[in-house]
Amino acid sequence: ASDAGGGPATAVNRPSIGVLPFLNLSDDRENEYFADGLAEEILNLLVRVREVDVASRTSSFFFKGKDVDIKAVADQLGVTNVLEGSVRRQGNKIRVTAQLIRADSGFHVWSNTYDRELEDIFGIQDDIARQIVNALELAISSESDEALNHVPTDSLDAYQYYLQGRDYLRGEYTEEQLMSAQLLFEKATAIDGNFAEAYAGLCDSLLAMYARKRSTSFFEQAERACHRGLTLDAKASDVHAALGNLYRFSGQADKAVMELERAIALNQRNVEAYFGLADTYKMQNDGERAEQTYQKAIDIQPGYWRGHLEMGIFLYYAGRLSEAIASYSKAVSLAPDNATGHLNLGSAYFLIGDFANAASAWRRSIELAPSTSAYMNVGSSYYFLGLFD
């Protein structure tokens, strides 16, 4: 078993990269899923190259639609290079523009424009990933070189169903979105029964449904989908992480630790796997290892708001309220539009008797996402402040 509380997860001075969502320049706004999907699949190819560190999908996609400069993005992702691009799709023709930028100087290390047929999408992804490897002057192993040849499916129809399904799993999703994602992944696997990534997507959507419903049926379906994905691609870090979280939700802590450690061994920057592993240690009442593992995720990507939020939750329930306030404050400074962060920050202030700051944090939460609990909490703060009206 790996020691999640040990030294740094990545080597010093290793090249690192964040892949931003590609801009959709198509006339049809429905092609947004295609642009996002292309960026995500390039990211997934690069994750397979062991000689480069890649920022997680979740943290990279936080910047979608935000007007921020490359250096600020790189600082938050903890990377030295950033890939950005755009996609224009018209019928069966696509134009993809990609550029690799060095964060400290703003220098364009590499850029290219591809005018191709839609059927050549996998060739474009492979070429961009290889050009990045060349631009970073990486000496890669034969295993990494082979990984860059990875073609997920021979079916363009299955691939487009998969990309649409993935689109439903980005950001905050509803039960309706999860069901739509599940249906699209099932369509993809029906066309190509060897499409590992589609089974991984099915695993993720069913895991999210199980987390909501705690239904035996969803657990069994999710477990089957995860295992099928791993049968087809045993090196899929995200699938091991999803399976680990499935076991955690169902109370099977030992199995959860095994799968989450495997996910981290395959991708040492998989911060989502670290969060799952830390939550599992917390479930086992191993507070010391849980805190070390949350901290490891923060060390890997110090600018990712979720790490600070998760640490804040841990510290809050440990009764270390001043430290929790510091973590929550960092989370909301990195993600000012995160209502949960403000809600949690208000709760920590309230418990130390700072009712003015509690009310301020909760009012901000209401502005972002009105909720019964936030209104109740603000009312309680006003009561203790003597603002009875």
Side-chain angles (χ1 to χ4, degrees), residues 57-91:
R57 175 198 315 117
T58 313
S59 48
S60 293
F61 272 68
F62 169 74
F63 296 100
K64 181 177 169 61
K66 292 181 170 64
D67 185 19
V68 287
D69 66 42
I70 293 298
K71 189 174 188 312
V73 169
D75 286 345
Q76 286 198 232
L77 294 177
V79 296
T80 53
N81 302 274
V82 174
L83 179 74
E84 62 177 8
S86 63
V87 179
R88 184 183 299 276
R89 178 178 173 183
Q90 190 168 23

Side-chain angles (χ1 to χ4, degrees), residues 254-385:
D254 291 342
K255 285 187 174 182
V257 169
M258 181 179 70
E259 292 296 340
L260 290 161
E261 287 187 337
R262 178 61 178 151
I264 291 166
L266 288 165
N267 176 12
Q268 293 190 16
R269 287 184 68 94
N270 189 339
V271 291
E272 308 301 326
Y274 280 102
F275 295 145
L277 185 58
D279 288 344
T280 308
Y281 288 143
K282 187 166 62 175
M283 186 175 79
Q284 294 177 311
N285 296 315
D286 189 345
E288 183 178 355
R289 293 192 79 184
E291 183 174 358
Q292 289 174 345
T293 309
Y294 286 129
Q295 187 60 52
K296 179 65 70 64
I298 292 171
D299 291 343
I300 292 170
Q301 287 186 218
Y304 183 22
W305 63 268
R306 189 181 163 195
H308 301 282
L309 182 66
E310 296 286 353
M311 179 65 92
I313 293 169
F314 171 80
L315 295 167
Y316 177 89
Y317 284 105
R320 296 156 60 182
L321 296 173
S322 296
E323 293 173 84
I325 287 170
S327 289
Y328 287 145
S329 296
K330 181 65 174 178
V332 299
S333 72
L334 292 168
D337 55 354
N338 187 293
T340 301
H342 291 284
L343 190 68
N344 291 2
L345 178 60
S347 298
Y349 275 129
F350 187 86
L351 286 186
I352 65 169
D354 187 344
F355 304 122
N357 273 323
S360 176
W362 283 331
R363 281 197 303 269
R364 179 59 181 148
S365 175
I366 288 171
E367 290 172 7
L368 294 166
S371 66
T372 302
S373 59
Y375 277 111
M376 291 279 288
N377 292 343
V378 172
S380 297
S381 288
Y382 287 159
Y383 175 86
F384 286 107
L385 289 167

Side-chain angles (χ1 to χ4, degrees), residues 175 178 205-222 245-252 279 283:
E175 192 170 313
L178 288 175
S205 55
L206 289 166
L207 167 63
M209 286 297 289
Y210 175 72
R212 285 168 176 254
K213 300 288 190 180
R214 289 298 197 272
S215 162
T216 304
S217 173
F218 283 121
F219 175 86
E220 292 172 348
Q221 291 179 72
N245 283 318
L246 180 68
Y247 288 138
R248 174 171 62 86
F249 285 136
S250 62
Q252 301 178 68
D279 288 344
M283 186 175 79

Side-chain angles (χ1 to χ4, degrees), residues 22-299:
F22 281 21
L23 291 174
N24 173 35
L25 301 182
S26 307
D27 294 334
D28 184 357
R29 303 313 300 170
E30 290 185 4
N31 277 315
E32 193 85 14
Y33 81 89
F34 192 84
D36 287 347
L38 178 59
E40 186 172 331
E41 292 309 297
I42 292 169
L43 184 154
N44 289 338
L45 271 179
L46 290 170
V47 164
R48 294 168 178 268
V49 178
R50 302 301 296 270
E51 293 79 10
V52 63
D53 295 326
V54 184
S56 75
R57 175 198 315 117
T58 313
S59 48
S60 293
F61 272 68
F62 169 74
F63 296 100
K64 181 177 169 61
K66 292 181 170 64
D67 185 19
V68 287
D69 66 42
I70 293 298
K71 189 174 188 312
V73 169
D75 286 345
Q76 286 198 232
L77 294 177
V79 296
T80 53
N81 302 274
V82 174
L83 179 74
E84 62 177 8
S86 63
V87 179
R88 184 183 299 276
R89 178 178 173 183
Q90 190 168 23
N92 202 42
K93 303 279 189 183
I94 55 170
R95 165 172 283 193
V96 177
T97 298
Q99 50 192 12
L100 181 67
I101 303 169
R102 185 169 174 82
D104 57 0
S105 64
F107 176 73
H108 284 57
V109 181
W110 167 84
S111 65
N112 202 0
T113 297
Y114 301 84
D115 288 297
R116 304 275 182 87
E117 298 290 322
L118 185 61
E119 286 75 9
D120 196 31
I121 186 63
F122 301 125
I124 295 173
Q125 292 171 6
D126 175 78
D127 192 68
I128 291 175
R130 287 189 177 279
Q131 292 294 341
I132 289 169
V133 167
N134 291 337
L136 295 178
E137 300 179 345
L138 298 178
I140 63 174
S141 66
S142 58
E143 183 182 20
S144 292
D145 184 69
E146 184 180 343
L148 288 174
N149 293 325
H150 178 71
V151 176
T153 177
D154 293 327
S155 169
L156 188 58
D157 287 340
Y159 188 64
Q160 293 194 83
Y161 283 134
Y162 163 74
L163 292 183
Q164 291 174 60
R166 273 291 170 203
D167 193 52
Y168 278 115
L169 293 185
R170 295 191 188 99
E172 298 291 331
Y173 37 65
T174 64
E175 192 170 313
E176 183 180 358
Q177 286 176 297
L178 288 175
M179 292 175 67
S180 296
Q182 178 184 342
L183 180 62
L184 287 160
F185 291 131
E186 286 173 344
K187 285 184 175 181
T189 57
I191 294 171
D192 183 354
N194 293 317
F195 191 174
E197 284 85 346
Y199 280 104
L202 185 57
C203 170
D204 286 336
S205 55
L206 289 166
L207 167 63
M209 286 297 289
Y210 175 72
R212 285 168 176 254
K213 300 288 190 180
R214 289 298 197 272
S215 162
T216 304
S217 173
F218 283 121
F219 175 86
E220 292 172 348
Q221 291 179 72
E223 188 176 34
R224 282 198 301 270
C226 289
H227 280 299
R228 177 59 178 158
L230 292 175
T231 298
L232 295 166
D233 183 4
K235 296 181 180 179
S237 175
D238 286 346
V239 185
H240 282 286
L243 188 57
N245 283 318
L246 180 68
Y247 288 138
R248 174 171 62 86
F249 285 136
S250 62
Q252 301 178 68
D254 291 342
K255 285 187 174 182
V257 169
M258 181 179 70
E259 292 296 340
L260 290 161
E261 287 187 337
R262 178 61 178 151
I264 291 166
L266 288 165
N267 176 12
Q268 293 190 16
R269 287 184 68 94
N270 189 339
V271 291
E272 308 301 326
Y274 280 102
F275 295 145
L277 185 58
D279 288 344
T280 308
Y281 288 143
K282 187 166 62 175
M283 186 175 79
Q284 294 177 311
N285 296 315
D286 189 345
E288 183 178 355
R289 293 192 79 184
E291 183 174 358
Q292 289 174 345
T293 309
Y294 286 129
Q295 187 60 52
K296 179 65 70 64
I298 292 171
D299 291 343

